[in-house]
């Protein structure tokens, strides 16, 4: 029996900046193993699990990305401070004053992004934003050779946020880093668990992609490896339910069920698939939210554009404070996202898939 809460905590705590997803891949591989007939990796590291259907039957691809936003060592200063490159979309303000783990060949090194003390600042300087180029990580090294030789820090080493996942004050909220997109991975694993005993008239591909945060790179290659008939991407959604964000900017709320994106800057959902998901949610009385975003990119766009084009949709778990050390999801939304995707999948057969692929 899958323990969803335990799985979510384990996934959030795993370190996997874009391009360095190994720890996450090991968890996903272990979790998917009982549910799939085969598993392989593509040439950039995306993990492709297959629950095989009859020969020449349709291929349904679920995708969720393993990477999280992180940093990468640029160089070590003569004084032993670490200068870095960002991996993925960080606000400079979210980087400072945080704990990080530099993933060296000798193991994890704890560091902090120091911030200048306000004691020495003018009123003018206190109101300013600290720019990325001036930021650094302090690992307590004596100098450059101490950082490099003793601690093993090298240019190109990945750096992951340090933040331990936990249930928040007895609520259904779970606090943690990297819900983008470990929440989606948990949904994917949960769906594969829920359909494990079903003999389906199609193949289901559970694809854990790499390098989403730096340009949907793993979804690109894995979509070509699978060549799906239908693509369901599972992501962290954008909640707009806290002070400082407006409903205009994002419409999802935590605890109000999964959402579908009706617009983001990378894709519009297939309209048949959109209506199919909406109908399915109605049939099982499951609240479904909608989000129309001006920005955001997600892996569904790569499935949609692969080969001759694939009907695709992005299904999300509402998330607050994305791309920071401390983001929030609601366990109930993860459960209902699993229920929604499971129910959608179980309604499919080759004729339904053909219908979804049809344009009038
Ligand atoms: Co994401």
């Amino acid at each position: 029996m899958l323990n969803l809460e335990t799985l979510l905590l384990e996934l959030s705590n795993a370190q996997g900046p874009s391009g360095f997803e190994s720890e996450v891949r090991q968890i996903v591989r272990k979790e998917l193993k009982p549910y799939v007939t085969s598993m392989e990796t593509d040439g950039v590291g995306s993990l492709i699990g297959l629950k095989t259907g009859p020969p020449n039957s349709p291929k349904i691809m679920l995708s969720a990305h393993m990477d999280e936003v992180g940093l990468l060592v640029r160089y070590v200063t003569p004084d032993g401070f670490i200068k870095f490159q960002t991996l993925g979309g960080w606000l400079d303000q979210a980087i400072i004053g945080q704990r990080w783990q530099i993933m060296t060949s000798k193991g994890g090194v704890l560091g902090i992004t120091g911030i200048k003390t306000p004691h020495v600042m003018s009123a003018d300087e206190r109101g300013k934003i600290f720019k990325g180029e001036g930021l650094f990580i302090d690992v307590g090294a004596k100098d450059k050779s101490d950082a490099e030789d003793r601690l093993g820090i090298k240019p190109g080493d990945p750096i992951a946020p340090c933040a331990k996942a936990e249930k928040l004050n007895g609520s259904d909220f779970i606090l943690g880093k990297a819900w983008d997109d470990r929440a989606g991975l948990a949904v994917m694993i949960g769906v594969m668990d829920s359909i494990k005993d079903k003999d389906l008239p199609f193949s289901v591909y559970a694809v854990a992609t790499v390098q989403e945060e730096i340009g949907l790179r793993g979804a690109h290659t894995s979509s070509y490896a699978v060549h799906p008939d239908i693509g369901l991407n599972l992501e962290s959604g954008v909640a707009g339910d806290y002070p400082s964000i407006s409903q205009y900017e994002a419409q999802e709320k935590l605890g109000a069920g999964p959402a579908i994106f009706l617009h983001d800057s990378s894709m519009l959902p297939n309209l048949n698939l959109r209506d199919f998901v909406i109908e399915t949610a109605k049939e099982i009385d499951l609240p479904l939210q909608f989000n129309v975003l001006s920005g955001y990119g997600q892996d569904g766009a790569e499935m949609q554009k692969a080969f001759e084009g694939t009907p695709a949709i992005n299904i999300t778990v509402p998330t607050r404070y994305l791309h920071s050390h401390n983001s929030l999801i609601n366990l109930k939304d993860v459960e209902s996202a699993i229920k929604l995707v499971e129910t959608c999948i179980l309604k499919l057969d080759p004729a339904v898939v053909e219908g979804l692929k049809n344009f009038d």
Side-chain angles (χ1 to χ4, degrees):
M1 179 73 190
L2 185 70
N3 185 322
L4 196 55
E5 188 179 324
T6 306
L7 174 65
L8 281 161
L9 297 178
E10 186 184 14
L11 285 168
S12 174
N13 287 335
Q15 308 290 52
S18 304
F20 302 88
E21 296 88 353
S22 172
E23 191 182 331
V24 186
R25 188 163 41 238
Q26 285 169 31
I27 296 170
V28 178
R29 191 180 265 133
K30 171 191 76 176
E31 293 294 329
L32 283 180
K33 202 164 195 310
Y35 312 137
V36 295
T37 21
S38 67
M39 245 188 300
E40 58 183 41
T41 45
D42 73 3
V44 291
S46 295
L47 182 67
I48 302 172
L50 165 61
K51 176 179 165 61
T52 194
N56 303 315
S57 61
K59 298 186 233 177
I60 312 305
M61 176 167 163
L62 306 176
S63 62
H65 66 90
M66 296 186 284
D67 60 315
E68 65 189 296
V69 291
L71 310 171
L72 183 93
V73 176
R74 215 174 244 274
Y75 62 94
V76 182
T77 69
D79 295 343
F81 293 96
I82 315 304
K83 299 292 285 183
F84 53 80
Q85 161 69 37
T86 51
L87 289 173
W90 282 96
L91 281 179
D92 291 341
Q93 296 101 296
I95 293 177
I96 48 181
Q98 297 289 351
R99 292 181 186 220
W100 304 84
Q101 186 190 57
I102 304 177
M103 299 156 68
T104 78
S105 55
K106 289 184 171 179
V109 171
L110 178 65
I112 51 153
T113 30
I115 179 167
K116 189 172 165 183
T117 172
H119 300 82
V120 299
M121 288 180 188
S122 64
D124 188 41
E125 200 181 356
R126 286 184 200 202
K128 280 199 181 123
I129 283 167
F130 293 85
K131 287 262 167 53
E133 210 177 306
L135 306 183
F136 59 90
I137 294 179
D138 187 341
V139 291
K142 285 203 282 286
D143 53 24
K144 182 177 164 74
S145 74
D146 192 37
E148 291 182 343
D149 303 336
R150 183 173 65 88
L151 298 174
I153 297 168
K154 292 192 302 292
D157 282 347
I159 306 170
C162 284
K164 201 169 182 309
E166 56 185 306
K167 278 295 260 317
L168 189 63
N169 301 324
S171 67
D172 287 323
F173 288 5
I174 314 181
L175 166 67
K177 69 175 178 70
W179 292 132
D180 178 7
D181 185 25
R182 309 291 161 72
L185 285 174
V187 172
M188 185 165 80
I189 292 163
V191 168
M192 295 307 286
D193 178 65
S194 70
I195 62 172
K196 64 176 185 287
D197 298 324
K198 307 280 186 203
D199 211 2
L200 301 170
F202 48 84
S203 291
V204 179
Y205 288 79
V207 181
T209 66
V210 294
Q211 301 186 33
E212 190 269 356
E213 298 290 358
I214 51 173
L216 319 182
R217 297 175 192 176
H220 181 84
T221 54
S222 55
S223 297
Y224 279 86
V226 172
H227 198 174
D229 291 278
I230 299 288
L232 306 175
N233 188 52
L234 309 168
E235 256 289 6
S236 56
V238 185
D241 62 347
Y242 52 90
S244 82
I245 191 166
S246 72
Q247 191 180 0
Y248 182 82
E249 291 168 307
Q251 296 93 50
E252 292 173 57
K253 292 183 170 66
L254 264 65
I260 53 175
F261 279 12
L262 300 177
H263 178 277
D264 67 73
S265 57
S266 66
M267 116 176 182
L268 290 166
N270 173 278
L271 301 184
N272 293 336
L273 201 48
R274 175 199 66 185
D275 294 345
F276 177 77
V277 173
I278 293 172
E279 270 309 303
T280 304
K282 267 198 199 124
E283 284 162 19
I284 57 171
D285 236 349
L286 187 139
L288 178 67
Q289 308 189 70
F290 304 104
N291 215 343
V292 175
L293 296 164
S294 312
Y296 206 112
Q298 39 81 24
D299 280 346
E302 291 297 332
M303 291 195 275
Q304 186 175 58
K305 291 183 290 192
F307 292 102
E308 68 279 16
T310 310
I313 193 164
N314 188 40
I315 301 174
T316 65
V317 174
T319 309
R320 290 181 188 160
Y321 324 123
L322 292 154
H323 290 203
S324 76
H325 278 59
N326 299 291
S327 48
L328 288 179
I329 54 169
N330 188 302
L331 182 60
K332 294 281 181 275
D333 294 333
V334 181
E335 288 168 356
S336 46
I338 292 169
K339 187 76 210 162
L340 176 65
V341 176
E342 176 203 356
T343 312
C344 285
I345 288 177
L346 294 180
K347 279 172 67 181
L348 296 173
D349 63 31
V352 174
V353 171
E354 269 320 297
L356 291 171
K357 292 173 78 175
N358 183 52
F359 287 85
D360 287 323

